[in-house]
DNA sequence: CGCACATCGTGAACAGCGTTCAAAAACCTC
DNA sequence: GAGGTTTTTGAACGCTGTTCACGATGTGCG
């Protein structure tokens, strides 16, 4: 008819993302996509192998957008001449919080998706996009004058990311909706504060992970 | 027949947990439960309102077991006369890691379940069980000689929990299966180390969560 | 014991889902 | 326009959660 294959694919992805965002994973239905895109069910399976394929593609877009958000937050601070480590880390965390808030259904769906398909979905692509974020965090830490070797910086960056991620996801699974934002902000501020203080003290962090048997 | 209602319910829950643990949420099917429990599909709906109801009940058992695991880890250390904060926090984190490893399907299913049903499932019961864990962490912090007021201790405990939780969940969604355990252990050790150092420095942690607009 | 009533277990039936695939339509190429 | 190729279609299949009339099973009472 009018649109070529790629264009229709983009439209399907846009529709799929809205569906995911509004109703979570359960809301991503082949028939709904087809109807809203003005194509038949079969055509959806012509463009993508699976509904999982559609979901994967949406997830890629989300990860890209998250990377852009993080880089933009850093660029913004750079433009304003802010180099304070705390402010930069808080800005990154804030960018993540805003990103999650802007994607209330599709981001949880991404997390649930990864949980459902353990390692079957080549994680290379996923991890590559996440590495971009780790790089940003690591570079902030590198500029903080903490005297960390590269390996420690790598662990520190990933630990920070995982922690913020945990705070946000635990926070949104918590009780009242009103207190969520407050609780998340406080925990993030606390985490960043403690983290910076801890790093400033220097010393080695290489302790074996083994715990009581 | 032979078993009374409650007993059959327990059997259903045991079967449901095995199903969840082996195949995740998708593996919890009414017909499978009925077949394995030797009852009819309708009877499942007689014992529980929904499949969600079954899942909720399984989740309660999991949370109880997690609480027991945490308390047991503390009791073990107490029995051995270990009062070092680092060791106690590492033991708690280790207990959580082992718990997640022991429930490779049902624990992710619990997390995904909470994500799917935002606040509809009265969170009171969930939160009450989690509060038990926060209490344990907070009491460890209280014994650490950190000079924290109660509110700060509360935030610190929840932040620690959320962070460890984030590390574990991010870790198991990562690339190679072999490196997962190592990466998780290293991040946890790093987090606990930095946290303790940061707390030891004292000072106030009350910074507004507001970031760059 | 017999009868009425309540309770409970049953599985066929329904609506909805992801996915497939023979056929139809559309599109090329000569 | 004919012949061949590609794309689109939607009916059909097997599976899912959930329901509900029906029959079985218990329970209380005269």
């Amino acid at each position: 008819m009018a649109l070529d294959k790629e264009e229709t694919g983009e439209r399907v992805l846009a529709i799929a993302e809205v569906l995911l965002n509004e109703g979570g994973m359960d809301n991503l239905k082949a028939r709904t996509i087809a109807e809203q895109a003005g194509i038949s069910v079969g055509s959806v399976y012509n463009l993508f192998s699976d509904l999982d394929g559609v979901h994967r593609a949406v997830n890629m877009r989300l990860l890209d957008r998250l990377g852009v958000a993080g880089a933009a937050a850093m660029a913004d601070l750079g433009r304003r001449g802010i180099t304070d480590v705390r402010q930069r880390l808080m800005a990154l965390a804030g960018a993540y919080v805003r990103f999650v808030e802007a994607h209330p259904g599709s981001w949880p769906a991404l997390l649930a998706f990864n949980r459902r398909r353990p390692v079957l979905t080549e994680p290379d692509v996923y991890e590559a996009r996440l590495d971009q974020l780790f790089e940003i965090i690591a570079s902030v830490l590198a500029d903080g004058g903490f005297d960390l070797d590269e390996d420690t910086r790598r662990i520190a960056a990933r630990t920070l990311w995982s922690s913020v991620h945990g705070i946000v996801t635990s926070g949104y699974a918590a009780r009242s909706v009103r207190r969520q934002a407050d609780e998340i902000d406080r925990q993030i501020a606390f985490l960043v504060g403690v983290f910076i203080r801890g790093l400033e003290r220097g010393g080695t962090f290489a302790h074996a992970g083994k715990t009581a048997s």
Side-chain angles (χ1 to χ4, degrees), chain A residues 92-101 107-108 111 160-174 180-181 183-185 187-188 191:
Chain A
L92 279 176
Y96 181 54
V97 171
R98 279 193 299 274
F99 176 83
V100 174
E101 280 172 350
W107 184 248
L111 299 173
L160 254 174
W161 163 262
S162 304
S163 300
V164 171
H165 174 63
I167 289 172
V168 173
T169 51
S170 307
Y172 282 115
Q180 278 178 358
E183 177 75 20
I184 290 173
D185 284 350
Q187 287 194 27
I188 287 178
L191 175 80

Side-chain angles (χ1 to χ4, degrees), chain A residues 1-30:
Chain A
M1 252 256 267
L3 310 172
D4 68 347
K5 192 163 175 174
E6 191 177 349
E7 204 169 345
T8 320
E10 294 291 338
R11 191 135 68 95
V12 166
L13 288 183
I15 292 168
E17 189 183 329
V18 172
L19 290 176
L20 284 170
N21 220 11
E22 287 176 345
M25 282 219 321
D26 299 346
N27 207 35
L28 189 71
K29 299 175 219 266

Side-chain angles (χ1 to χ4, degrees), chain A residues 107-187:
Chain A
W107 184 248
L110 180 148
L111 299 173
F113 183 85
N114 283 3
R115 236 171 278 298
R116 226 155 42 89
R117 313 257 168 281
V119 198
L120 303 179
T121 83
E122 328 107 22
D124 318 321
V125 210
Y126 271 68
E127 293 284 334
R129 305 189 192 229
L130 283 180
D131 281 343
Q132 180 190 352
L133 288 167
F134 297 149
E135 279 303 317
I136 296 179
I137 302 176
S139 75
V140 170
L141 291 177
D143 292 349
F146 291 131
D147 186 32
L148 306 171
D149 62 291
E150 184 173 331
D151 188 59
T152 306
R153 214 159 51 219
R154 196 196 77 94
I155 290 285
R158 295 178 94 96
T159 304
L160 254 174
W161 163 262
S162 304
S163 300
V164 171
H165 174 63
I167 289 172
V168 173
T169 51
S170 307
Y172 282 115
R175 51 181 114 229
S176 87
V177 187
R178 277 279 155 250
R179 291 210 175 275
Q180 278 178 358
D182 253 29
E183 177 75 20
I184 290 173
D185 284 350
R186 290 188 67 186
Q187 287 194 27

